[in-house]
Amino acid sequence: MIPARAGRPYANPYYAGIALGLVLLASFALAGRGLGASGAFASAAAGVVRAVSPSTASANFYFSRYLADGVNPWRDWLVFELGGVMVGAWLSARLAGRLRATVERGPYVASPVRLVLATAGGGAMGLGAVLARGCTSGQALTGGAMLSVGSWLFVLGAFAAGYTAAPFLRRVWQ
Amino acid sequence: MNSLILASTIGVAFGWTLERAGLGSARKLVGQFYLNDLTVFKVMFSAIVTAMLGVFWLSRLGIIDLGQVYVPETFILPQLAGGLVFGLGFVVAGLCPGTSCVAAATGRGDGVATVLGLFMGVLATGLCLPRFAALYGSTPRGTFTLPEAFHLPYGTVVLLIVLMALGGFTLAERIEARR
């Protein structure tokens, strides 16, 4: 059952950020690596390509990395981590009364248009994350905290493009 | 502890904090780009600063070995270009990979659509990547950190980022108060 109420207000962003930083720090200390998200998509894609065409998967230098030495891409660290993300998010929203079946969109955009835009935006982020070797989790948060130059360049690029494109998409959101 | 149990546990905590901060909401996330809700900046930079200070002090106190923590490798051009394409997709979708999973798990159809788009984007890019292998592998710098790039001590860079973040938070509060 998904309750149709708005739920409790969100947490203070600084406290939430500090908590997120402590989760990241715990990952560094306990697992020797940071957080990630797009890497789980890469593992899953490698798994699908191998299931459909093993020869394509092994000939592709990008996917074969996720399949080396009989590695099972579905048992990848990030796949389990991202599964945990979904469980944690669901639990948090459930306990705060924030679970609700909806399509979040701007007031002037119909749901189907919003879903097409979300899919297209996701596709672009997939391309960007492959090139950048990570996303807001693996590059911005993890590489950012480890002071990696490439990660900070990724953040600069993402914010620059975001602010440049936003005025053209004002009708979508406002 | 089994590494996959650890991965799942860390993931649960990660998803929990993202949801608590409201980062499963696309409209809240894009507020960053229209300057009416700077939650993304505040959460992201307080997290980066917290983890960065934690890593710095834990390694100073000899509790963790910096050399044992994985640092993503730097490829200047593809990471800058990837960031640009990613940022564009971020404003169009209103969600990023991690937060799209939070949105999907909390009942949002736009989150599910973003997750599908991401999967297709990664799949298609991966399949085409051999043709763009030169761009993908260009300008490699290996493990390359800001202290090395600017020839500054690690602690100095940490301090500068903390000061930048504090300045950014002050500015963010002013921008939001104006609305």
Side-chain angles (χ1 to χ4, degrees):
Chain A
M1 268 303 286
I2 293 170
R5 58 206 159 103
R8 296 216 311 265
Y10 292 121
N12 173 303
Y14 298 110
Y15 295 158
I18 291 169
L20 180 54
L22 292 175
V23 174
L24 177 54
L25 184 62
S27 187
F28 283 144
L30 301 175
R33 58 181 296 166
L35 305 170
S38 57
F41 286 88
S43 268
V48 168
V49 172
R50 186 174 66 175
V52 174
S53 166
S55 60
T56 310
S58 56
N60 181 294
F61 77 92
Y62 181 70
F63 291 128
S64 60
R65 271 196 308 216
Y66 293 91
L67 306 164
D69 301 324
V71 170
N72 183 348
W74 302 104
R75 287 179 60 81
D76 177 70
W77 199 90
L78 283 179
V79 169
F80 275 69
E81 182 235 31
L82 205 61
V85 166
M86 302 197 73
V87 173
W90 181 85
L91 220 89
S92 168
R94 181 80 188 79
L95 293 176
R98 285 193 286 257
L99 279 184
R100 197 150 46 113
T102 177
V103 173
E104 240 189 78
R105 58 198 164 91
Y108 303 113
V109 172
S111 285
V113 178
R114 167 70 182 121
L115 293 177
V116 170
L117 286 173
T119 311
M125 285 190 290
L127 166 60
V130 170
L131 276 183
R133 291 139 171 98
C135 60
T136 0
S137 308
Q139 289 296 348
L141 285 178
T142 301
M146 293 304 291
L147 309 184
S148 164
V149 172
S151 302
W152 284 85
L153 286 174
F154 171 81
V155 173
L156 279 180
F159 273 97
Y163 280 104
T164 307
F168 299 102
L169 294 161
R170 199 171 277 280
R171 297 269 314 161
V172 173
W173 294 112
Q174 290 177 334
Chain B
M1 187 163 36
N2 181 311
S3 82
L4 293 183
I5 296 175
L6 179 61
S8 312
T9 311
I10 288 170
V12 168
F14 184 22
W16 176 284
T17 50
L18 288 177
E19 201 286 328
R20 288 281 134 168
L23 298 186
S25 161
R27 296 195 70 189
K28 199 169 176 61
L29 287 169
V30 292
Q32 178 67 43
F33 297 106
Y34 296 103
L35 299 180
N36 47 33
D37 186 332
L38 301 184
T39 302
V40 170
F41 175 81
K42 293 182 200 171
V43 173
M44 195 167 166
F45 278 84
S46 36
I48 290 175
V49 164
T50 302
M52 175 186 71
L53 286 172
V55 167
F56 176 71
W57 284 107
L58 289 182
S59 77
R60 279 228 136 177
L61 299 170
I63 296 168
I64 62 166
D65 178 4
L66 256 184
Q68 292 301 304
V69 180
Y70 173 73
V71 182
E73 283 182 46
T74 289
F75 293 78
I76 307 271
L77 206 64
Q79 280 173 328
L80 197 54
L84 290 170
V85 179
F86 186 92
L88 175 66
F90 193 166
V91 197
V92 174
L95 296 160
C96 66
T99 53
S100 68
C101 291
V102 174
T106 53
R108 293 171 169 98
D110 49 310
V112 177
T114 308
V115 167
L116 286 174
L118 266 163
F119 179 77
M120 293 189 287
V122 170
L123 181 69
T125 308
L127 289 172
C128 298
L129 206 58
R131 267 184 265 172
F132 304 98
L135 168 67
Y136 181 73
S138 73
T139 52
R141 294 288 183 278
T143 303
F144 185 39
T145 62
L146 296 171
E148 290 161 3
F150 292 114
H151 304 287
L152 287 170
Y154 203 93
T156 308
V157 175
V158 167
L159 180 65
L160 287 173
I161 291 176
V162 170
L163 293 176
M164 258 172 47
L166 291 177
F169 296 150
T170 312
L171 190 65
E173 293 304 327
R174 274 200 206 153
I175 291 171
E176 280 184 351
R178 223 179 42 188
R179 300 262 152 182

